Amino acid sequence: MLRKTGLFLTVMMLLFTVIPIGTAVGAGIPSFKVNLKASQVTVGDNVVVTVYGNNVTDLYGYEAVLTYDTDRLEFNKDDNTKSYGSFEGYKIVQDSGNQITFAYSKMGNKTGENGDLAICTLIFKAKKSGQANVTLKQMTTVTSQSLPSIWNVNAQAAVKIDGTVPGPGGGGGGGSITPPTKEDPNLYVLKESELRIEAGQDGQTSVTAVIDSKRLEQKLADLKATSGSTVLSFEIPGERDLNALELPLPTLLSSLKDHKDTILSVRSHLGIYDLPMSILNQADFAGMAGVEGATLIIRIDKAKSLHETKFDQSISDKGMVRVSGMIDYKIILKTKDKEEEIHSFGSSFVTRVIHVDAAIQDPSAATAVVYDPATGEMKFVPSVFTAKDGKTEVKVIRNTNSLYAIVQNKKTFDDMIGHWAKQDVEQLASKLIIAGTSDRTYTPEMQVTRAQFAALLVRGLGLPEEAGLNVFTDVAATQWYASEVNTAAKYGLVQGVAEGQFNPDAQITREQMVVMMMKAIGLVQGTSTSNASSMNISFADQAMISDYARNSVAAAAAQGLIQGKTETDFAPQDVATRAEAAVIIKRVLQYANLINK
């Protein structure tokens, strides 16, 4: 029990008030956790431990009780009597055995703290190799109205310590130095000196890992020399709202020739960003080769609560449910003078991962979506779900950065009951790729126009619509499909029927649909069907297939992506229906690994 002359009334209440464990007298239901600044250190390094509170309401004072591994960690009370918390006040620290009590109180007539915040930080010294644990056992909180609450927490964090210190007499007989653990060539282990922890805006917590140029250069060389893998991982420690990795761009560009296939994998508790180094060949990056001090910043940030609230309100009206956090993925080029966000990667599709704290067993009724807070617009994003151990990992595959979330949605149509395309149509509708002709009907036998199918491909690939493009003279900017048709043209998915003409309202034939289909697959995979002319086409009506479509039809048939309209005929000149279009879109996405198979 702490005793010190001059303690304020609130601190005394923290230490001596007895109420049932787990009972909250004040407003709100907060939660508490403990995080480490670095998950791996060496003997002699500082081990920085921070206690965080979420949903804190009117926090005027508190008492944190922690336990720690005394064999491997040393606590220095004198170093910890300074103010390491997120706000000023009166602090008392007591170390007793393996338990630390850290008490705090504001002074005078002040309001308490609210929201998500770093409550206090304690510093240990690593003194012996092995794994050391620090556990937040209990938090007692007091409001500005002197209302106390006691919380059993039992939140644990672990740090790996490499190496041991010499015993008495230096290296002779009294002890020895354990050789450092062999470092994983695929993992860049962050040093404490490379981490910068700050308070972000709106009460958010922030961590930035600033990568050392020489260490990165050596790590890339080691990866090439000793590992069969092409992935170099960076693990950002803790559970902060804003997570950034800052890489020296000149080092990356000078290494690009030998590492064009290397992927920089940034991992945080929010998700993963897998950035191919080949992206650096683009003009935005390559032009920075001679700029001293230029850095590439990879960000994985939790969305602002305002954006989450607006999003949840908008989807609830549509019967959808958000099942993940909203994560903002960004790539930023930084120089001494400015920061420039890179939104698009051209034809390169990049993988990001969002973690969901639940097992999603039916990926056909769930999808990743991109959300624009400025317009409130939400759209489908290609995504693959993997459920394991009660949680789900969602791979988001897209050629742009943005704000993403995972939603569950189930759509059915009355006129698809018993239809051969029911499963495919309703899956794509649930994923927001296609829409019905009304809320309850899809009209599967309605014929499809060239503009409609081009729009479906653009939506299915998650391509960002290009405003201001005017590729075809017969595609008026006022038409609903204008931006999608022009986007399809930009990415090479469609061609005109004559110079400057697309003929958007003409009904699309089956062979035209297959040509667009194979171009979409080629875009994602970086391939083409130009070498498919030697393949045999086994359809009885193959002579009716146009010359421009023969390669695409042959390749699609060889890969099992299309079937004949009958057992013998492909019917290349027949007009495609809405049901056929949905099936083709689904096959494209599954073949290109953009949705679950």
Side-chain angles (χ1 to χ4, degrees), residues 13 16-20 150:
M13 183 171 292
F16 300 111
T17 299
V18 179
I19 63 175
I150 301 177

Side-chain angles (χ1 to χ4, degrees), residues 546-561:
S546 301
D547 289 342
Y548 75 86
R550 291 187 66 84
N551 289 354
S552 296
V553 173
Q559 293 161 20
L561 293 169

Side-chain angles (χ1 to χ4, degrees), residues 129 162-164 176-182:
S129 64
D162 290 333
T164 59
S176 62
I177 298 178
T178 302
T181 304
K182 186 176 180 181

Side-chain angles (χ1 to χ4, degrees), residues 453 513 517 561-562 580-589:
F453 190 75
M513 191 166 59
M517 167 194 198
L561 293 169
I562 60 172
E580 290 172 328
V583 171
I584 287 292
I585 295 295
K586 180 182 175 182
R587 289 176 183 171
V588 167
L589 299 182

